């Protein structure tokens, strides 16, 4: 739970799995998260090897986030949490 728990990480992981993998898109979709908090969450997920950050050599540079194999293995848990949340509002 220390790697995927908390208020923001499940949401970030869910959105990345749905191909919303750029910082700006993530920030717009997650209501109430600050840019600093999003950056922190992304860095922690990257450090824990749940996501990987890919930098494209363009001008301006483009950065995208993708789930690793470990991140993919977490998605059934995240989706189960989403289902449970919808059923128990």
């Amino acid at each position: 739970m220390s790697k995927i728990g908390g208020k923001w990480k499940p949401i970030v992981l869910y959105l990345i799995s749905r191909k919303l993998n750029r910082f700006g898109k993530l920030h717009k979709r997650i209501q109430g998260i600050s840019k600093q908090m999003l950056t922190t969450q992304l860095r922690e997920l990257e450090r824990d090897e749940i996501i990987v950050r890919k930098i494209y050599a363009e001008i301006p540079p483009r950065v995208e986030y993708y789930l690793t194999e470990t991140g993919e293995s977490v998605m059934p848990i995240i989706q189960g949490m989403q289902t449970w949340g919808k059923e128990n509002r």
Side-chain angles (χ1 to χ4, degrees), residues 33-44:
I33 193 168
S34 68
K35 289 182 179 183
Q36 182 179 358
M37 179 56 72
L38 179 56
T39 299
T40 300
Q41 299 299 291
L42 290 168
R43 286 181 182 161
E44 288 177 6

Side-chain angles (χ1 to χ4, degrees), residues 26-79:
L26 290 168
H27 188 253
K28 285 180 185 177
R29 283 294 301 269
I30 304 173
Q31 286 187 333
I33 193 168
S34 68
K35 289 182 179 183
Q36 182 179 358
M37 179 56 72
L38 179 56
T39 299
T40 300
Q41 299 299 291
L42 290 168
R43 286 181 182 161
E44 288 177 6
L45 289 166
E46 186 178 11
R47 180 197 67 214
D48 293 333
E49 299 180 350
I50 296 173
I51 64 171
V52 64
R53 186 175 90 195
K54 185 169 182 181
I55 303 169
Y56 293 91
E58 300 175 349
I59 297 178
R62 177 171 49 117
V63 177
E64 294 183 350
Y65 297 91
Y66 299 95
L67 295 176
T68 62
E69 194 172 310
T70 303
E72 291 286 347
S73 71
V74 169
M75 289 316 299
I77 298 165
I78 301 296
Q79 290 166 342

